Amino acid sequence: MKGIWAPMSELQITPLHALHREAGARFAPFAGYDMPIQYRDGILAEHAHARTRAGLFDVSHMGQAWLDGPNHESLARACEALCAADLVGLAPGRQRYTQWLNDDGGVIDDLMLNRPEGADGRLNMVVNAARKAVDYAHLTQRLPHAIRLTPRPERALLALQGPSAAAVLARVAPGFETLRFMATKATAGLEVSRSGYTGEDGYEISLPAEDAERFARRLLQEPEVALIGLGARDTLRLEAGLCLYGHELTEEIDPVEAGLSWSIAKRRRVEGGFPGAARILAALASGPNRRRVGLALEGRAPAREGAEIVGPDGAAIGVVTSGGFGPSVGAPIAMGYVEAAFATPGTVLGLVVRGKTLGAKIIPLPFHPHAYVKG
Amino acid sequence: MRFTRDHEYIEAGGDLATVGISEHAQQQLGDIVYVELPALGATLKKGDAAAVVESVKAASDVFTPASGEVVAVNDKLGGNPSLVNENAQGDGWLFKLKLSAPGELDGLMDAPAYAEYLKTVE
């Protein structure tokens, strides 16, 4: 049999690498980093843990950077020229999800921008590990000289996710647990936002790399907390219906097709002035040609990324972008793109897996309900 | 019990043999959520992709270590694919073959040789 993870050389490591090894991690290369895919209990148990208690994820491979400008207004305007979010209206202490767009309206990367409390002219950015270099080159080239990009490789990033996350954080780092969803706050080197990538309530915690292991060990002393690897991170985000760059998002896919219209601000729809505005505004007005959908499979066999999606007559109408077994759903699930005419929930389709057509049905996303605490 | 370099095992008694994936392979794959088995009566040639074992992360082909006709498949795996994790080299077997060329097994590793081989791939 083949397909067993193979070790690779010349990989970067995160500040928690030794801790992962001690916890029995199985590593694999991800975006140039030697990352923990799972620990001793395995992906299914880790997934369940994050859904029921609190999972601790090391996501230090992600790109953290500052964007600095003369004041918030000019910084926000400069960044708005590269994305479709309302950043001028981003209040201090708030976080926004958006995408850097290319001139055709395709997604260069999706990211979080935080406006630190008290900051007038700084945004804190978190981008995908695999797109760091592309993003930084793009921003350096396209932002005006008055805006400075400062990568922060000296920072680690942890995510604490699950229904017990707030109670745990209240014990370990009191003061952050009361943050609202998509709010952010910094104290004593910790920069915490209430957000995540699992569909659960939780926090993302940026801290100096040299403090990361001590802080992670402190969190792990709490009875609800266990380390969760990238394997379960992927099953959790798939069930939550969240996009993964390189799968649901690429330079060819625009945010409307991807079901991310909610992240395109009303003012920006009126004013335009973002890359690919012609395509994106047309898609908003008359609907995109293809749509990201959720697929529930009939049998037990999963369909993986790349599986062709066929209509009732067997003609190709799309492709699976992420697929596997949904541990909380208890069945195989997939996301993919289909022609808009087939995107209605309830539509019955086929997924071609190893030459066989498996029955599937379009169902609304997410597969597993979000449990964000929106207060 | 004999092993392949791709981590299948085969255990023969006369011309009847049981095929599965090794304990090492199930550990490496992690939680197994689906197993696709060959059709009863199928004729397989050594090295053919005969079954698919799917972990949460990925699908892996299982290549038959020897040629023969499929005379049984492990029906229990349909409802309980995690049997492969629990006992890969026992209850988690995949299929049984009526061997057409039992001599093919001579080229495979025995348990001590496989254990040595694992040291080189880790």
Side-chain angles (χ1 to χ4, degrees):
Chain A
M1 58 187 297
K2 307 231 190 264
I4 290 176
W5 299 107
M8 263 174 68
S9 57
E10 296 188 34
L11 292 169
Q12 293 184 266
I13 60 170
T14 75
L16 296 187
H17 200 267
L19 176 61
H20 298 316
R21 181 167 299 163
E22 188 183 307
R26 178 167 307 149
F27 293 93
F30 182 85
Y33 284 79
D34 193 32
M35 294 300 288
I37 298 303
Q38 64 167 78
Y39 302 87
R40 291 190 187 96
D41 291 344
I43 294 173
L44 295 179
E46 291 170 26
H47 177 110
H49 189 98
R51 287 262 184 263
T52 54
R53 308 190 82 197
L56 178 61
F57 304 72
D58 177 15
V59 287
S60 302
H61 58 313
M62 296 188 78
Q64 300 183 69
W66 278 326
L67 289 166
D68 287 294
N71 52 58
H72 178 71
E73 165 93 17
S74 56
L75 172 62
R77 294 263 177 223
C79 293
E80 283 191 0
L82 302 179
C83 69
D86 175 9
L87 300 177
V88 173
L90 181 62
R94 299 295 299 171
Q95 177 177 54
R96 196 141 288 170
Y97 169 80
T98 188
Q99 310 89 36
W100 300 130
L101 300 171
N102 66 30
D103 292 330
D104 298 323
V107 176
I108 294 170
D109 199 6
D110 68 332
L111 66 145
M112 290 289 197
L113 287 170
N114 299 331
R115 181 177 176 188
E117 278 181 311
D120 184 28
R122 169 165 287 176
L123 290 171
N124 225 331
M125 175 169 84
V126 182
V127 301
N128 284 298
R131 301 296 286 175
K132 255 188 259 189
V134 173
D135 290 336
Y136 295 168
H138 173 71
L139 294 170
T140 304
Q141 192 196 342
R142 294 287 290 266
L143 287 173
H145 288 300
I147 308 299
R148 249 185 357 270
L149 169 76
T150 311
R152 305 171 76 199
E154 73 286 358
R155 303 288 290 185
L157 190 64
L158 307 178
L160 183 68
Q161 300 279 300
S164 303
V168 167
L169 206 59
R171 270 176 254 142
V172 175
F176 294 110
E177 74 281 2
T178 51
L179 280 169
R180 293 160 60 208
F181 183 62
M182 297 293 276
T184 183
K185 181 172 158 175
T187 311
L190 295 183
E191 299 168 5
V192 180
S193 66
R194 195 160 197 173
S195 53
Y197 194 49
T198 59
E200 298 300 320
D201 181 31
Y203 304 83
E204 295 197 336
I205 304 160
S206 168
L207 70 174
E210 64 267 25
D211 298 338
E213 183 172 333
R214 183 191 52 78
F215 189 75
R217 286 187 190 278
R218 176 65 192 89
L219 286 170
L220 288 166
Q221 284 173 5
E222 298 302 310
E224 301 97 325
V225 181
L227 281 164
I228 311 295
L230 289 191
R233 184 168 165 85
D234 192 46
T235 55
L236 289 159
R237 73 91 199 168
L238 174 60
E239 285 187 339
L242 301 172
C243 294
L244 174 60
Y245 197 89
H247 297 253
E248 287 69 41
L249 297 175
T250 70
E251 296 240 18
E252 282 70 50
I253 294 168
D254 72 49
V256 182
E257 297 169 323
L260 303 174
S261 301
W262 57 268
S263 69
I264 304 173
K266 283 197 184 102
R267 173 173 63 81
R268 309 301 312 279
R269 297 180 191 209
V270 175
E271 294 177 4
F274 51 86
R279 166 176 167 184
I280 288 171
L281 294 175
L284 282 170
S286 46
N289 294 328
R290 57 181 173 179
R291 286 184 189 276
R292 177 168 65 97
V293 294
L295 297 153
L297 284 80
E298 264 171 27
R300 302 298 297 173
R304 307 285 178 174
E305 180 186 7
E308 190 172 68
I309 306 175
V310 296
D313 60 352
I317 55 157
V319 66
V320 170
T321 49
S322 293
F325 183 77
S328 301
V329 175
I333 52 174
M335 288 197 288
Y337 281 88
V338 297
E339 293 173 15
F342 296 91
T344 313
T347 305
V348 174
L349 301 166
L351 304 182
V352 183
V353 175
R354 295 184 286 273
K356 278 176 259 178
T357 301
L358 311 177
K361 192 170 76 175
I362 294 191
I363 63 168
L365 293 170
F367 299 101
H368 183 84
H370 292 164
Y372 304 137
V373 174
K374 297 208 173 178
Chain B
M1 191 173 279
R2 300 259 169 174
F3 297 86
T4 71
R5 298 170 69 85
D6 291 328
H7 309 288
E8 294 92 4
Y9 71 82
I10 184 163
E11 184 162 41
D15 65 353
L16 195 68
T18 303
V19 176
I21 67 169
S22 71
E23 174 60 24
H24 170 80
Q26 77 73 20
Q27 274 179 23
Q28 291 297 306
L29 288 171
D31 299 316
I32 288 162
V33 295
Y34 180 73
V35 180
E36 185 175 292
L37 296 168
L40 272 179
T43 302
L44 301 176
K45 275 214 300 290
K46 179 180 176 164
D48 283 351
V52 179
V53 175
E54 301 220 17
S55 69
V56 179
K57 287 295 290 174
S60 301
D61 283 322
V62 178
F63 303 100
T64 180
S67 308
E69 182 193 338
V70 177
V71 293
V73 296
N74 190 350
D75 290 327
K76 285 185 187 157
L77 299 180
N80 189 11
S82 62
L83 266 183
V84 179
N85 292 121
E86 288 158 21
N87 194 357
Q89 295 177 196
D91 292 346
W93 62 277
L94 302 181
F95 57 90
K96 293 181 196 283
L97 286 176
K98 185 172 190 295
L99 297 172
S100 56
E104 287 172 341
L105 272 60
D106 297 342
L108 300 176
M109 292 174 273
D110 60 14
Y114 181 63
E116 282 301 308
Y117 169 68
L118 288 182
K119 289 180 193 166
T120 70
V121 296
E122 269 168 3

